[in-house]
Amino acid sequence: MKTIMVTGGRGMLGHAVEQVVGEEPRAGSRFEFVDIEEGDLTDKVATRALFERVRPHGVIHLAADVGGLYKNVAQGVEMFENNLLMNMHVMQCCREFGVEKLVSCLSTCVFPEQTLCPHITLPIDETVVHMGPPHPSNEGYAYAKRMVDVQSRYYRRQYGRNFISLAPTNIFGPHDNYSPEHSHVIPALIRKCDEAMRGGTDFVVWGSGKPLRQFVYSPDLARLFLWAFFHYDEADPLILAPGPEQEVSIGQIAQHVANAFGYAKPIVFDTNYSDGQHRRTVTNQKLMSRYPEFRFTPLAEAIKASVAWFQANRTTARL
Ligand code: GFB
């Protein structure tokens, strides 16, 4: 029986992996979901103690200090340092404890910002990770996450470890973080539209609503992570996102959320707030060439399910 440890086990993606693992039990593998209570990965001693206890054969490393645009702007130091520390400690312990496979995360926000890098054309693919500076709004997080690619490749080359890195686009789904200052856009809009419906107030979207994003529903991403754990063994990162044709504006996302709640008043856009990165269109050609049969949940359906989860779990959701 092989133990696969999932860090960040009580986060949004951790919950989604647990849900998906339950869908199709895998003979010979048992999953152990751990979170900060079992060991603070920014602390090397605590990280070693966790590996000592669990003795994993595989690790799916989801734990990270994450947040939306406004948290990244406010806490660049912590986003840089906490993620560097967690990723370094996990990789060091994976080598020390002989872990056979490690899956770590980048993000599509790590790629070069096209307006600063005229040589970069959209849609972006996995080959350009280090070919220019990321968008200033999340530079700290982006550089920390870029080191996941560097460190994974070094461990492969120098120690022969099967470490891989995956680059999800913006994630949303049940068990998200809904805090006003720190959350990503979709959970923020879900919380705000819920408050507007219950308080009879306006549904206010920050910024112009014009920026464009590709979004991935957390259960879909969990299936992709599990597929990659068992079937993707290449050195280079793999983008996990719906295709460029699925790119939507923040305004369109807000309308999906409003439709899911039945909010019928006008949506208000508060342009006193910054828009952040305008677009970061990525291609999923490499993923589709490796896993052509995979299908993403339609966005409107995924948002409706995420809204329904929040309405049913409002009192216990991470606010
Ligand atoms: O998910 P988000 O916060 O971050 O989305 P990024 C920011 C976009 O949504 C901006 C608009 O255009 C905001 O103006 N927006 C509208 C809102 N209303 C709100 C709101 O109430 N809250 C928030 N947060 N946004 C993230 C990175 O960038 O991308 C992360 O910061 C991560 O590190 C993620 O990499 C994938 O999409 O701009």
Side-chain angles (χ1 to χ4, degrees):
M1 180 62 72
K2 302 247 184 197
T3 298
I4 299 168
M5 180 169 77
V6 181
T7 71
R10 275 185 278 288
M12 169 173 56
L13 193 50
H15 271 102
V17 169
E18 190 166 19
Q19 172 202 322
V20 171
V21 159
E23 285 170 359
E24 39 175 300
R26 297 161 194 273
S29 300
R30 64 173 287 277
F31 289 79
E32 183 147 353
F33 294 85
V34 298
D35 215 295
I36 192 165
E37 292 77 17
E38 284 88 14
D40 179 349
L41 302 179
T42 64
D43 177 315
K44 179 67 183 287
V45 172
T47 307
R48 278 199 88 260
L50 174 65
F51 275 75
E52 191 84 52
R53 178 176 68 78
V54 178
R55 295 275 171 183
H57 300 88
V59 174
I60 298 177
H61 174 38
L62 305 179
D65 186 352
V66 297
L69 163 64
Y70 305 104
K71 178 181 179 185
N72 272 275
V73 170
Q75 297 183 13
V77 170
E78 290 73 19
M79 301 295 273
F80 178 72
E81 293 182 344
N82 291 339
N83 287 299
L84 267 187
L85 286 168
M86 282 191 253
N87 298 332
M88 188 173 309
H89 294 156
V90 165
M91 288 204 201
Q92 290 170 340
C93 288
C94 279
R95 181 175 81 86
E96 186 182 339
F97 287 85
V99 168
E100 296 156 12
K101 178 80 173 269
L102 166 65
V103 178
S104 299
C105 292
L106 299 172
S107 162
T108 54
C109 78
V110 311
F111 291 111
E113 161 56 27
Q114 201 221 358
T115 58
L116 303 175
C117 312
H119 56 289
I120 299 286
T121 54
L122 299 180
I124 285 168
D125 67 18
E126 291 88 350
T127 61
V128 302
V129 176
H130 304 287
M131 292 188 187
H135 192 270
S137 66
N138 54 213
E139 197 182 20
Y141 179 78
Y143 275 117
K145 284 291 191 174
R146 286 189 185 189
M147 292 308 107
V148 167
D149 166 50
V150 172
Q151 236 179 325
S152 292
R153 286 189 282 106
Y154 280 20
Y155 273 92
R156 294 177 74 89
R157 191 167 58 218
Q158 188 172 333
Y159 294 109
R161 319 304 299 183
N162 189 8
F163 292 179
I164 66 168
S165 59
L166 305 176
T169 191
N170 293 54
I171 314 165
F172 72 97
H175 301 280
D176 210 329
N177 177 338
Y178 299 86
S179 78
E181 304 76 26
H182 292 175
S183 62
H184 290 100
V185 58
I186 288 183
L189 297 184
I190 288 175
R191 179 184 47 76
K192 292 199 282 189
C193 197
D194 182 65
E195 286 166 1
M197 291 295 286
R198 294 176 345 116
T201 53
D202 287 340
F203 173 25
V204 180
V205 176
W206 291 346
S208 69
K210 293 190 173 65
L212 299 161
R213 296 289 186 275
Q214 288 152 278
F215 292 96
V216 61
Y217 185 40
S218 55
D220 291 347
L221 191 61
R223 291 184 187 94
L224 289 171
F225 265 73
L226 286 167
W227 165 84
F229 180 84
F230 291 104
H231 303 289
Y232 185 78
D233 300 305
E234 302 173 33
D236 291 333
L238 180 66
I239 288 171
L240 304 180
E245 73 288 349
Q246 298 299 318
E247 193 178 46
V248 290
S249 72
I250 299 299
Q252 287 171 306
I253 280 293
Q255 191 54 61
H256 279 304
V257 171
N259 295 346
F261 276 101
Y263 174 88
K265 293 179 0 182
I267 297 172
V268 176
F269 291 90
D270 182 347
T271 52
N272 292 310
Y273 285 87
S274 71
D275 275 349
Q277 187 171 24
H278 180 62
R279 71 187 310 185
R280 57 178 71 139
T281 319
V282 294
T283 174
N284 68 354
Q285 271 184 340
K286 185 174 172 184
L287 170 64
M288 289 295 106
S289 70
R290 299 325 190 262
Y291 194 179
E293 65 273 25
F294 188 79
R295 294 291 175 269
F296 291 90
T297 303
L299 185 60
E301 179 187 329
I303 287 186
K304 274 178 80 171
S306 302
V307 165
W309 183 89
F310 181 79
Q311 289 173 312
N313 297 276
R314 183 187 293 111
T315 54
T316 56
R318 286 183 291 163
L319 284 170

